[in-house]
Amino acid sequence: HLHGHQGKVIVYLEATTLKDGMVTDFKHLNWFKAFLDDVLDHKFIIDINDPLFSTIVPNIKQENLKKFDEGYSLVDLTPFRDEFLELYESFIIVDFVPTSE
């Protein structure tokens, strides 16, 4: 039964010196908020090793994945027709179990 979870992101910052009494200005973290909003928000995160992977995400093969050091993969959508793009762009494919259940 597909369902959602919410999570919290806690960011700790440290500096040896302060600039204007601050470690950083929040504007320097806009890239991180954009990453969360653009890459993870409202996405379906699924383990490529999930036994139901090929049923839930048909036509996605290992060779269509782009691996990143951060531990997640994005689907290379170029092999798919336009009508599939919206479906597949909502998936984040990882190689670990993305839930504690």
Side-chain angles (χ1 to χ4, degrees), residues 20 27 63 83 86 90 97:
D20 300 325
K27 71 180 179 186
E63 59 268 14
E83 59 266 24
E86 187 173 342
S90 67
V97 178

Side-chain angles (χ1 to χ4, degrees), residues 27-92:
K27 71 180 179 186
H28 297 135
L29 298 175
N30 286 341
W31 68 270
F32 186 63
K33 182 180 182 321
F35 166 78
L36 294 175
D37 290 344
D38 298 342
V39 176
L40 297 180
D41 192 33
H42 292 95
K43 300 292 195 267
F44 182 72
I45 303 172
I46 184 168
D47 182 0
I48 194 166
N49 300 305
D50 188 301
L52 295 176
F53 179 85
S54 61
T55 303
I56 296 170
V57 191
N59 302 320
I60 298 290
K61 307 287 184 247
Q62 195 79 28
E63 59 268 14
N64 295 114
L65 300 178
K66 292 183 351 187
K67 183 73 174 159
F68 291 88
D69 292 336
E70 293 86 2
Y72 64 90
S73 298
L74 295 177
V75 178
D76 177 9
L77 299 173
T78 52
F80 303 102
R81 295 192 316 254
D82 291 341
E83 59 266 24
F84 292 114
L85 292 182
E86 187 173 342
L87 168 67
Y88 288 131
E89 71 184 359
S90 67
F91 286 91
I92 299 295

